[in-house]
Amino acid sequence: MLRTHTCGELDIRDVGKEVTLCGWVGRRRDHGKLIFIDLRDRYGLIQIVFLPTESPQAYQLAQDLRNEFVVRITGKVEKRPEGTLNPKLSTGEIEVRAKELEILNSSLTPPFEIEENIEVSEEMRLKYRYLDLRRKKVLDNFLLRHKLYKTINTFLIQEGFIFCETPILTRSTPEGARDYLVPSRLNPGKFFALPQSPQLFKQLLMVSGIDKYYQIAKCFRDEDLRSDRQPEFTQLDIEMSFIEEQDIFSLSEKLMQVIFKEIKGIEIKIPFIRVRFQEAQDKYNTDKPDLRKELNSDFAFAWIVEFPLFKYNEEEKRWESEHHPFTAPFQEDIELLEAYPQRVRARSYDLVLNGIEIGSGSIRIHQQSLQERIFKIIGLDKEDAYKRFGFLLDAFQFGAPPHGGIAFGLDRLLAILANEESIREIIAFPKTSIASCPLTGAPSEIEDRQLEELGIRVKKRKSARKTS
Amino acid sequence: MLRTHTCGELDIRDVGKEVTLCGWVGRRRDHGKLIFIDLRDRYGLIQIVFLPTESPQAYQLAQDLRNEFVVRITGKVEKRPEGTLNPKLSTGEIEVRAKELEILNSSLTPPFEIEENIEVSEEMRLKYRYLDLRRKKVLDNFLLRHKLYKTINTFLIQEGFIFCETPILTRSTPEGARDYLVPSRLNPGKFFALPQSPQLFKQLLMVSGIDKYYQIAKCFRDEDLRSDRQPEFTQLDIEMSFIEEQDIFSLSEKLMQVIFKEIKGIEIKIPFIRVRFQEAQDKYNTDKPDLRKELNSDFAFAWIVEFPLFKYNEEEKRWESEHHPFTAPFQEDIELLEAYPQRVRARSYDLVLNGIEIGSGSIRIHQQSLQERIFKIIGLDKEDAYKRFGFLLDAFQFGAPPHGGIAFGLDRLLAILANEESIREIIAFPKTSIASCPLTGAPSEIEDRQLEELGIRVKKRKSARKTS
């Protein structure tokens, strides 16, 4: 270790100790006979003072220090003189009188101030994200994710859930959005797809008997972006066997309670209210009502239930699934399936927080005969269904248990917890609205040799590079 | 919940209780006047008995049961008659006398027996992975990963490390192996690459002041496969600032100690021995010596240190980096850089366990002048270097701290912990040696519309599909 302490952990009780600290130079004030710097790391800020009488060498070298230089300082913790205390800092009663100074690295002048709270354009912030992340507010959002994951892992492990990893390189199975595709070099002309969610894999895991599955999973959708969308996003994915809606509700409510307690120090009331889809539409004209006023709460949770199983596609003159085709209908509505599809309610549910959908799930169909009736209604014949989801349908023939689950959008949840408008604020290295990364320059042009190996060509366009 | 208990948790103390159990039908024995089944879930196995005197309906229905049917049974826990106890089972002193039986799902005859320990081809096992995962040995390997992640998370969080997520859709930066590429629809002609490791991002995080980073990260390399390689694999990625080699060694040794204690119940001795690269070559003729005999231990760890910084590429008649070009040289060897590159030792290290490299890392260069000297020796001029790693070199100009790290191959470590030859045994849904998935059929052909949107074409080959 190059240091004995971090910059945030010393206080008045450490007076008299000799310490070695490492960090970045913040403000520097040269008072002629003495030089002050603020030394900063992610744990805090501490005042360092250089006196020619204490160490002429260190004092001399300190004159070269500029903002964001990286230094290592050895010195003694001293009480600050009366009248110079800073009550805003945990280290505000002390300073370190420097005996030794080593400049570990210099720095160019940063394109924006780290410690000032000035407005910087998002483009600039993302290009210099490594500097942006040195700012306390940005760092705090970032640490929030760590804390959230820790809370989720601890809670779900306690509840008996098993963390399972599912593949990122998988098969293209249309799930509503566009797939990101990966050409296979070893199988020319064929492509992997990045998963839009682990939906099919988690259902396979239920067939295999893992009755309580969870994963903090990266998901990928090639959509046009908005402030709450990213090409890749993170989902807390949960699935259980031998359960009913109530079990998913209880688990989710306890999970939210623990998260809000751990992260915000807030006790939220459970169970959450349930609003039928039709009631939400009639009363609020949306299926994502913001009930903060009504519930008189800063954080208003609601389950939206009894969604219709189907919606009518006017353009194609056919019924399609509202959620996904594996969603189970209400038992008592099954007899209505063919005659009155519009009246069939789905065993699906959304969790809405402050008008934002943060979770969504359903009880799934586990019996083949019912699944085939549903496919027929949405106009999928057996061959089509097999082409799209064949491996799951095969699996369901070998003793699929009753099961259901839910997935939470962790980026959206984090944005709410951090009180941020955009999910880009809580992702370490986000993409812009045209799905590019100003920091790395991704996506980028690649070498012809790479395309050659993959057996693909880029089509010539006015704006595209020629490859052949 | 459809059940009151799992199949593994009942024992003699529960005699007299009425319980509801769900699970899969294992062995069924029809003794005429009574029918026995073994009911199985991932927690265990319990004997169910159907008697016509107890419930004629349940007895009747039980005659239809076949292997792998999914059932729900309500009945009373009874002591087994003398002479019929099974000491091998935790439930071996009891049975459940069924009052109610519900068949939740039927099953086709599985292509291989779940409970018998018969040899099944790997192709078959992977195609029916959801059945393979019902087998105890396979499931156990799978649960091992869950336990390992839990142990790692708990330990590193305790040590003050922050879990950070880095992007999967990123920029192609040559790191030795071939990149998987993802065409960008919104940026025609440009490609994302899947990360070979989070190496560049973790170094950026050090620049941003996150001094203790970790991630359980998916990595991707488009290589020809062997038994210990997969197109995607999982790495425990660690990086720290303001540290030296000894800090990485101590942390890693403590981590391994905790893992082996938690997972295998074994106390391993730390510190691990250190073997200089040259000594390993001279004495064992490899840089991955298996020291089990020498150390007289089932698990023989060794640090391999003092690797050469450069190796000579005979074909191209030039020096190249042995590890990666950001690896720092020994301080006392810096003066040899240009004159005697072959004599310069790297501050890199491998952790070898039983002759297998399970971890690898280095102290990185954080100063630009030294970095430029290294680039020059390996024949990278400034322009080339910027083209490849420009964003990292830019970041290093704004106060990069001294830093270093290590990455562990968790699949290899798990294979050792599970005593398996192939890492495919400890991955839920692995790919075969030609990077395909027998279960999902990935990679697969895609629709012309998808290629059209991406602005790419598949080149015509004899074996490939025509697309235009």
Side-chain angles (χ1 to χ4, degrees), chain A residues 420-438:
Chain A
E420 295 285 1
E421 282 296 313
S422 164
I423 60 169
R424 290 198 284 274
E425 291 296 336
I426 45 77
I427 293 173
F429 300 103
K431 306 281 192 297
T432 65
S433 54
I434 53 158
S436 68
C437 172

Side-chain angles (χ1 to χ4, degrees), chain A residues 204-368:
Chain A
L204 286 175
L205 287 171
M206 293 304 112
V207 178
S208 75
I210 311 284
D211 58 340
K212 290 180 171 185
Y213 146 91
Y214 87 104
Q215 184 177 195
I216 294 177
K218 274 281 177 84
C219 305
F220 305 85
R221 291 185 194 173
D222 183 8
E223 296 176 305
D224 299 325
L225 305 182
R226 297 186 312 221
S227 72
D228 61 345
R229 278 194 193 154
Q230 282 278 309
E232 59 185 291
F233 57 96
T234 308
Q235 179 168 302
L236 169 59
D237 200 40
I238 291 177
E239 194 84 3
M240 298 169 79
S241 293
F242 306 122
I243 52 101
E244 292 167 308
E245 287 87 334
Q246 183 53 49
D247 302 299
I248 302 286
F249 292 166
S250 305
L251 180 84
S252 303
E253 287 162 355
K254 275 161 70 183
L255 173 64
M256 288 300 142
Q257 204 172 38
V258 170
I259 288 172
F260 274 75
K261 178 78 188 160
E262 289 284 319
I263 308 243
K264 307 285 282 186
I266 292 174
E267 294 282 355
I268 57 171
K269 276 190 205 129
I270 60 169
F272 303 147
I273 64 159
R274 295 184 200 171
V275 183
R276 282 179 295 105
F277 170 79
Q278 197 51 58
E279 189 187 333
Q281 291 291 5
D282 294 346
K283 207 163 153 189
Y284 310 103
N285 203 23
T286 172
D287 59 358
K288 300 175 187 53
D290 186 345
L291 302 177
R292 274 179 284 187
K293 275 197 184 145
E294 211 167 311
L295 297 177
N296 198 16
S297 163
D298 287 344
F299 298 99
F301 289 91
W303 290 107
I304 312 299
V305 296
E306 299 191 25
F307 284 86
L309 188 63
F310 303 109
K311 61 184 172 206
Y312 195 69
N313 185 326
E314 286 291 349
E315 224 167 274
E316 301 181 20
K317 301 281 177 223
R318 64 175 189 86
W319 292 99
E320 57 188 28
S321 295
E322 172 78 34
H323 195 60
H324 60 59
F326 308 111
T327 305
F330 270 57
Q331 188 64 31
E332 59 268 39
D333 294 354
I334 289 182
E335 57 182 40
L336 307 173
L337 270 174
E338 286 80 7
Y340 304 99
Q342 71 278 15
R343 282 168 55 191
V344 178
R345 292 162 301 165
R347 295 178 71 181
S348 67
Y349 31 79
D350 281 358
L351 183 58
V352 171
L353 169 57
N354 297 357
I356 293 166
E357 180 201 311
I358 59 164
S360 182
S362 66
I363 302 299
R364 330 295 181 184
I365 298 166
H366 66 279
Q367 285 180 315
Q368 217 191 347

Side-chain angles (χ1 to χ4, degrees), chain B residues 397-417:
Chain B
Q397 296 188 307
F398 291 98
H403 62 284
I406 191 163
F408 297 96
L410 294 187
D411 304 303
R412 285 186 195 172
L413 178 59
L414 275 165
I416 296 174
L417 288 167

Side-chain angles (χ1 to χ4, degrees), chain B residues 239-298:
Chain B
E239 195 84 4
M240 296 169 80
S241 292
F242 306 122
I243 51 100
E244 293 168 305
E245 286 86 336
Q246 183 54 49
D247 302 299
I248 302 287
F249 291 167
S250 303
L251 179 84
S252 304
E253 287 163 355
K254 274 160 70 183
L255 173 64
M256 288 300 141
Q257 204 173 36
V258 170
I259 288 172
F260 275 74
K261 178 78 188 157
E262 288 284 320
I263 308 243
K264 307 286 283 187
I266 291 174
E267 295 281 356
I268 56 170
K269 275 192 207 130
I270 61 171
F272 303 147
I273 65 159
R274 295 184 200 171
V275 183
R276 282 179 295 104
F277 169 81
Q278 197 51 58
E279 189 188 334
Q281 291 290 5
D282 294 347
K283 207 162 154 191
Y284 310 104
N285 202 23
T286 172
D287 58 359
K288 300 173 187 54
D290 185 345
L291 302 177
R292 275 178 285 187
K293 274 197 186 145
E294 208 167 312
L295 298 176
N296 197 16
S297 162
D298 288 343

